[in-house]
Amino acid sequence: MPKAVRYNQFGGIDVLEVVEVDRPVPGPGEVLVQVKAAGINPGEAAIRTGAFHEVWPSTFPSGQGSDLAGVVAELGDGVSDVSVGDEVIGWTDNRASQAEYVVVPVTQLTPKPAGVTWEQAGSLFVAGTTAYAAVRAVALSKGDTVVVSGAAGGVGSLVVQLAVAAGAKVIGIAGPSNGDWLTAHGVTPVEYGDGLADRVREAAGGTVDAFIDTFGADYVELALELGVDKERINTIINFAAVEKYGVKAEGNAQAASADVLAELASRIAAGELELVVARKYPLAQVRDAYRDLEHRHTRGKIVLIP
């Protein structure tokens, strides 16, 4: 029997289990995918702890994960857009991708380009679409100066590259170990910590036009202190600041489409966008993968390999 990640109650990493399940069966308009890689994301950990239970309620036992890449194993009725054996990238809205097999609507799949690794493909959806929406939300123009917090993280590392491609001057807030990577990608690195506002002002050498927060903490307040208009501040994580200050919170939900996924994958295949895979874990080590994620010091993505 195939295996899948499950948990039976809200809690920490210790509630995660890998169990045997029935092989899923695709319905009309659906495809069964044999999963080759499935990225993990902070939002999944928050859902598992119960932090978002009022917004995204859970039923138990619950599966986990939305990002996926794999091989089409079976077609449901009425599916003609893909064939068994096709390599695809996609996502599920049913918290089910961290498994050996998952059923996915065919509309949530796009072909995997040959130049994209399984690990990159399997961790692209949430981080990629979130970064895409966040950059679009602050309406960057050539010559704008934008600051990005968490600039070397799973989302931030894509945000800074998309912002550079848009013609902006990009200042990336990150730890000292990420300075060389940011510089190599056309980003001005600034270390977080005491005196950050002054360091950002010095790096900007003038007005800061936009701010994208991928980390949380008090970065929205920093953006306001720097004089950024709230219409050009976007946070993907600090929803309390959205309520308090009226800044934007556009992310995955605003760009979740196969077309966006295909565009991002094609840019990776063409060498125009780097999706950094920090580490990969076998499905059986899902607890270790999320323990790694919780440290919040990873450059790029952490991926499960069923």
Side-chain angles (χ1 to χ4, degrees), residues 57-182:
S58 297
T59 56
F60 300 111
S62 176
Q64 195 168 241
S66 56
D67 295 9
L68 65 97
V71 177
V72 174
E74 187 179 339
L75 306 180
D77 290 342
V79 174
S80 58
D81 298 339
V82 299
S83 301
V84 171
D86 285 356
E87 297 182 350
V88 293
I89 308 173
W91 78 95
T92 171
D93 295 320
N94 297 325
R95 302 177 194 170
S97 69
Q98 294 168 18
E100 293 179 339
Y101 288 91
V102 61
V103 166
V104 184
V106 70
T107 55
Q108 293 176 198
L109 296 172
T110 192
K112 182 185 84 67
V116 179
T117 68
W118 283 119
E119 292 84 0
Q120 290 173 322
S123 57
L124 178 58
F125 172 66
V126 167
T129 58
T130 301
Y132 187 98
V135 172
R136 185 175 59 187
V138 299
L140 293 179
S141 298
K142 187 174 182 179
D144 279 347
T145 296
V146 59
V147 179
V148 180
S149 65
V155 175
S157 60
L158 295 175
V159 166
V160 294
Q161 293 178 76
L162 293 174
V164 168
K169 175 180 179 179
V170 184
I171 297 170
I173 300 171
S177 63
N178 294 304
D180 289 345
W181 184 90
L182 290 168

Side-chain angles (χ1 to χ4, degrees), residues 202-226:
E202 181 179 355
T207 302
V208 174
D209 302 291
F211 198 110
I212 298 173
D213 169 37
T214 75
F215 190 85
D218 57 356
Y219 282 117
V220 169
E221 285 82 359
L222 172 63
L224 294 168
E225 180 184 345
L226 293 168

